Amino acid sequence: VTLLEQNPRWRLVPRGQAVNLRCILKNSQYPWMSWYQQDLQKQLQWLFTLRSPGDKEVKSLPGADYLATRVTDTELRLQVANMSQGRTLYCTCSAGTGVDSGNTLYFGEGSRLIVV
Amino acid sequence: GDSVTQTEGLVTLTEGLPVMLNCTYQTAYSTFLFWYVQHLNEAPKLLLKSSTDNKRTEHQGFHATLHKSSSSFHLQKSSAQLSDSALYYCALSEGSALGRLHFGAGTQLIVIP
């Protein structure tokens, strides 16, 4: 059963151009939605966790700037800007019923970004 | 701060031999450990998890035991299969931060005939 739907699945991004990613939650029992990046060395790194509609956060990491928005209870967005190296962005969800089992992450299929 | 160490970046094994992938961690908070597996061109998927000291956890032929005394959560399997070839991540739940796991660098397992 698919818990998350991410789009686009991949995108060629001209250097200097921003790209917008979208993630839709299919099961409301896992409302804690997060973004993770996987770099070209395959390192997985947490970016954001946004629980409530209207929540917004920004972050700058080596190689990209990020703006995340929880749009609704079921939609999470991520804007990626100033990207200098390709990466894959994963949307995740978790139950959040506790820091133990409730923190189990379920991953979307990912959005692979390639800089051109 | 919290950290997860996977000492092997690459493990190459012949089919049928036992698998052991190492994971140690450092944390100041309650301890919940995970193993995720990522096959080529797929997303990471949960393999197994544990927070109970000295209790063996099993799933899909793999097993791991959390040892708090040595801060370890090594992944094992008695006999490797070709389909086990994948990237394996050990991860630690970061204190009270819901949705946030700290991942190790990953171990690429290659199983050859």
Side-chain angles (χ1 to χ4, degrees):
Chain A
V1 179
T2 304
L3 293 178
L4 296 164
E5 180 183 295
Q6 279 189 249
N7 62 75
R9 293 293 309 279
W10 66 274
R11 177 65 58 87
L12 297 176
V13 184
R15 198 174 291 271
Q17 194 171 93
V19 59
N20 293 304
L21 310 180
R22 196 164 169 252
C23 177
I24 303 298
L25 179 66
K26 300 294 193 180
N27 187 326
S28 60
Q29 292 187 44
Y30 302 92
W32 289 82
M33 298 181 77
S34 306
W35 287 108
Y36 282 75
Q37 78 165 20
Q38 186 175 45
D39 62 25
L40 295 178
Q41 289 71 45
K42 301 295 185 182
Q43 177 67 57
L44 273 170
Q45 181 176 359
W46 173 83
L47 294 175
F48 309 100
T49 300
L50 300 178
R51 173 62 184 89
S52 302
D55 286 350
K56 277 189 181 186
E57 287 196 39
V58 296
K59 181 172 284 189
S60 288
L61 288 183
D65 297 327
Y66 297 105
L67 166 64
T69 307
R70 185 71 181 259
V71 181
T72 66
D73 284 330
T74 58
E75 184 176 349
L76 183 69
R77 291 184 188 169
L78 184 69
Q79 183 182 83
V80 186
N82 299 318
M83 192 171 63
S84 59
Q85 289 181 333
R87 62 203 62 214
T88 300
L89 284 305
Y90 287 103
C91 176
T92 70
C93 63
S94 52
T97 52
V99 297
D100 296 337
S101 190
N103 228 11
T104 299
L105 296 183
Y106 300 94
F107 283 75
E109 292 300 307
S111 294
R112 186 178 174 195
L113 304 182
I114 302 163
V115 178
V116 295
Chain B
D2 290 0
S3 66
V4 176
T5 301
Q6 294 181 249
T7 51
E8 310 100 350
L10 173 65
V11 172
T12 305
L13 283 174
T14 301
E15 189 179 14
L17 291 181
V19 178
M20 180 153 167
L21 306 183
N22 291 318
C23 174
T24 56
Y25 63 91
Q26 234 179 342
T27 180
Y29 303 103
S30 64
T31 311
F32 209 104
L33 275 292
F34 304 80
W35 277 100
Y36 280 82
V37 58
Q38 184 178 28
H39 288 94
L40 188 62
N41 296 325
E42 294 184 8
K45 291 187 297 192
L46 178 68
L47 182 57
L48 45 78
K49 60 185 178 183
S50 180
S51 65
T52 307
D53 199 12
N54 298 317
K55 182 181 177 184
R56 176 170 160 144
T57 300
E58 298 191 39
H59 187 60
Q60 297 182 339
F62 287 89
H63 62 93
T65 303
L66 178 59
H67 292 295
K68 294 186 180 182
S69 61
S70 58
S71 299
S72 68
F73 190 55
H74 305 320
L75 183 67
Q76 298 181 68
K77 188 178 185 185
S78 58
S79 175
Q81 297 177 287
L82 296 177
S83 58
D84 294 331
S85 295
L87 184 54
Y88 291 82
Y89 291 99
C90 183
L92 170 69
S93 191
E94 284 206 27
S96 60
L98 293 174
R100 184 170 178 176
L101 297 188
H102 192 104
F103 286 85
T107 297
Q108 180 70 53
L109 175 65
I110 298 174
V111 182
I112 57 177

